[in-house]
Amino acid sequence: MNRDRILVFDIGTQSVRALVFDRFGQLCATSQLALDPPYQTRQAGWAELAPERIWQTMIEACHGLWRADPALSARIAGLALTAQRATSVFVDAHGQLLGPAISWLDQRRADVIPTLGWPVRAFARLVGAARVIEDFQRAAPANWLVAHEPAIHARIAHAPLLSGYLVYRLIGAWRDSTSAQVGYIPFDYKRRRWARAGDWKWRAIALRAEQMPALVEPGRPLGRLSPAAAQALGLGAGLTLFAAGADKACEVLGAGALSPETACVSLGTTATINTCRPDYREVTRLVPAYPAAVPGAYTDEIQIYRGFWLVSWFKQEFAADTQRTAGREGRAVEALLDEAIAGVAPGSDGLIVLPTWAPGVREPGPEARGAMIGFTDVHTRAHVYRAILEGLAYGLRGGRERIEARTHVPITRLRVAGGGSQSDQAMQILADVFGLRAERSHTHETSGLGAAINAAVGLGWYADHGQAVRAMVHDGACFAPDPVARGHYQRLYDEVYRRLYADLKPSLVRLARVMAAVPAGPA
């Protein structure tokens, strides 16, 4: 039988997916298992997950594919992995986990951080980077461990991100994709490699070079499946795992957004707008561009940290009855919510959501909280839901403007990915707010497709990533902006939303000061 299929593991925040693609980018089979709950919270603000549970879920998802089609495993030509970013794993010299992984959603901060030399501190103050560097240090999981769990920190032999740990489980070697290195780690984003010896990042983060995995560029082989992994997954021996990248980087590639004129909007747990370019530049000062899932390229990124997480929050807190109805009718909750907001006019009758539910470093700042303004007696639950979608679209449009201002390249094409892209209402709102056609790819599994593209290049099916994208990425549904709705959103964005955070910031700063004196509640 021909080996004409690629197996991809896509490790998200809320689920694990095993996906099979053909050489033309068509999704041939999928097996998805929920991570419920997606993380554990031992204390308020903590978010931890069990890497071993992720690995076992990968095995279960894989066997779900083979149960549906027993002949499929013999057709797998190669594998790729894409995973959530910035989730840290710590392992001892015997390959044993030193505790749960610290998720990218974790909000704990180190009370004590490594001291930087006076030249670094002086230079940081000179260029206005002192607070950014301190935030980077306090948020680093390794620094938290050395300050709060020093005995565990002393036993660290390997400190990969989640993707690197799963690569180890697959091939038995400590390697990872260059494109997966997004987190609180000593990584040189511009040079796409670990920071060189003597770099200030090694002093800022309590990690050593020998604890970090070897890095491999996207599309290159990471190694062959170990016999134990092949047996556990139900695969033949000798298959190669190819480097791909982090979920957002693979999503940009899978959406076909390889030029700076094309933006990829990701409607995922974290909502982002990205463009891809061959040159490194920071669209937010002192915040790095991330490595693209293409060798030698970078993604400009603006993110709304609590993006379509807001939709999950809304469903949990305000739409339990809708979830029950969806279960009875065998329909997606989002489909029922789309129907509910179809009769709500663009602009939600003056209700506006500011989607800054989580603090940031610069834009938004550490004082950030979300807001809803404009309530009157005409507003219903449907208005709130539509206003959430509109607020996310406004925030992403603001990201577009920041990218354009920094790069001097107009964004003229909008490709949309992520779970939220399956909502027709969300797609139409994006088109109307951006004033551009909002285009879906032919599959909503764009992150998995980006990983598959890297495996296809590695297998020699295509000469390079550009050729692979032309062959494997296809157009899906397209939503054109409605002129009337576009004009209404333009006024709301220009006259209200654009200055809303700045108007609220003094109150948010005062609120943060008051809340800092209030004892934290239970987890």
Side-chain angles (χ1 to χ4, degrees):
M1 184 177 291
N2 281 339
R3 292 194 176 273
D4 56 356
R5 298 288 188 265
I6 292 168
L7 173 62
V8 171
F9 292 107
D10 187 345
I11 315 302
T13 302
Q14 301 186 56
S15 70
V16 168
R17 296 189 292 281
L19 310 169
V20 176
F21 291 91
D22 68 13
R23 67 175 62 237
F24 304 109
Q26 298 299 327
L27 182 63
C28 304
T30 180
S31 176
Q32 180 173 355
L33 294 174
L35 296 172
D36 187 17
Y39 55 85
Q40 301 290 333
T41 302
R42 288 189 289 157
Q43 294 188 32
W46 290 24
E48 299 174 329
L49 53 86
E52 179 63 26
R53 178 187 173 211
I54 301 283
W55 170 243
Q56 293 300 326
T57 306
M58 289 168 60
I59 293 171
E60 292 174 33
C62 211
H63 284 280
L65 294 172
W66 317 148
R67 284 193 296 271
D69 183 356
L72 185 56
S73 63
R75 300 181 68 175
I76 302 302
L79 298 86
L81 168 79
T82 182
Q84 57 182 271
R85 307 182 299 192
T87 292
S88 294
V89 181
F90 300 102
V91 180
D92 70 14
H94 305 290
Q96 299 301 306
L97 291 162
L98 290 170
I102 299 179
S103 166
W104 65 273
L105 289 164
D106 196 279
Q107 294 294 307
R108 76 187 80 180
R109 294 294 181 265
D111 293 335
V112 179
I113 55 178
T115 301
L116 299 175
W118 72 262
V120 175
R121 298 199 306 273
F123 182 75
R125 287 194 297 269
L126 181 65
V127 299
R131 197 187 79 183
V132 174
I133 292 175
E134 181 180 340
D135 287 342
F136 172 70
Q137 288 187 276
R138 293 198 183 280
N143 287 352
W144 187 91
L145 280 179
V146 79
H148 300 270
E149 299 281 357
I152 291 177
H153 183 271
R155 295 171 57 199
I156 295 173
H158 305 282
L161 298 177
L162 178 61
S163 53
Y165 175 77
L166 296 175
V167 168
Y168 169 72
R169 296 305 300 262
L170 288 164
I171 67 171
W174 293 104
R175 298 172 190 153
D176 200 3
S177 171
T178 302
S179 179
Q181 306 314 304
V182 178
Y184 300 100
I185 48 179
F187 185 69
D188 185 331
Y189 289 93
K190 186 174 183 178
R191 293 171 178 81
R192 295 173 59 104
R193 66 189 187 196
W194 296 120
R196 61 180 176 267
D199 191 286
W200 67 269
K201 290 179 181 177
W202 292 112
R203 296 193 293 277
I205 305 296
L207 292 171
R208 303 186 306 276
E210 63 268 22
Q211 295 170 324
M212 312 312 292
L215 298 181
V216 177
E217 283 289 345
R220 303 292 299 168
L222 285 160
R224 295 187 183 276
L225 283 185
S226 70
Q231 182 178 13
L233 296 168
L235 289 166
L239 293 176
T240 298
L241 175 69
F242 293 94
D247 52 3
K248 294 295 183 185
C250 285
E251 207 164 46
V252 173
L253 178 61
L258 287 184
S259 68
E261 298 85 10
T262 301
C264 174
V265 164
S266 172
L267 301 181
T269 303
T270 292
T272 59
I273 179 167
N274 296 76
T275 58
C276 184
R277 63 179 54 254
D279 57 309
Y280 179 91
R281 78 181 58 185
E282 298 171 357
V283 295
T284 300
R285 184 171 175 267
L286 304 176
V287 176
Y290 296 141
V294 177
Y298 306 88
T299 57
D300 306 316
E301 178 174 304
I302 303 295
Q303 64 175 232
I304 301 174
Y305 188 70
R306 296 287 194 176
F308 257 64
W309 175 92
L310 287 175
V311 170
S312 299
W313 169 78
F314 176 88
K315 290 188 297 184
Q316 177 180 319
E317 302 296 337
F318 306 109
D321 58 335
T322 305
Q323 294 189 73
R324 289 192 294 270
T325 300
R328 286 195 304 270
E329 297 181 0
R331 302 176 63 193
V333 181
E334 291 79 5
L336 297 182
L337 292 172
D338 270 8
E339 292 173 2
I341 67 173
V344 178
S348 301
D349 290 316
L351 184 64
I352 294 180
V353 167
L354 184 65
T356 50
W357 252 246
V361 176
R362 297 185 65 85
E363 301 176 27
E367 72 287 333
R369 284 175 177 254
M372 297 184 186
I373 68 165
F375 275 108
T376 70
D377 57 1
V378 307
H379 289 118
T380 65
R381 180 172 63 175
H383 286 83
V384 174
Y385 184 69
R386 184 180 184 98
I388 287 173
L389 298 182
E390 291 172 341
L392 291 171
Y394 292 144
L396 291 165
R397 176 175 165 175
R400 168 197 179 181
E401 293 178 353
R402 285 165 61 187
I403 291 173
E404 290 177 329
R406 182 68 180 89
T407 64
H408 307 293
V409 177
I411 291 172
T412 57
R413 190 180 183 195
L414 195 65
R415 302 282 287 180
V416 188
S421 67
Q422 298 177 74
S423 163
D424 287 356
Q425 289 289 347
M427 293 291 293
Q428 188 61 55
I429 288 168
L430 274 176
D432 295 339
V433 169
F434 274 72
L436 293 172
R437 290 158 58 95
E439 307 171 14
R440 283 187 187 128
S441 292
H442 67 285
T443 175
H444 67 277
E445 297 287 4
T446 42
S447 182
L449 178 57
I453 287 170
N454 273 294
V457 172
L459 287 164
W461 292 358
Y462 301 102
D464 54 36
H465 288 74
Q467 187 184 76
V469 165
R470 290 189 292 274
M472 298 178 72
V473 178
H474 313 286
D475 293 338
C478 182
F479 296 76
D482 176 83
V484 175
R486 178 184 177 185
H488 190 48
Y489 282 131
Q490 185 70 44
R491 287 199 63 189
L492 285 169
Y493 180 78
D494 284 340
E495 298 178 31
V496 183
Y497 184 88
R498 191 196 294 270
R499 56 185 293 180
L500 185 57
Y501 189 83
D503 288 343
L504 289 177
K505 184 174 180 178
S507 295
L508 294 175
V509 170
R510 291 192 295 272
L511 179 59
R513 190 163 54 242
V514 171
M515 294 308 296
V518 177

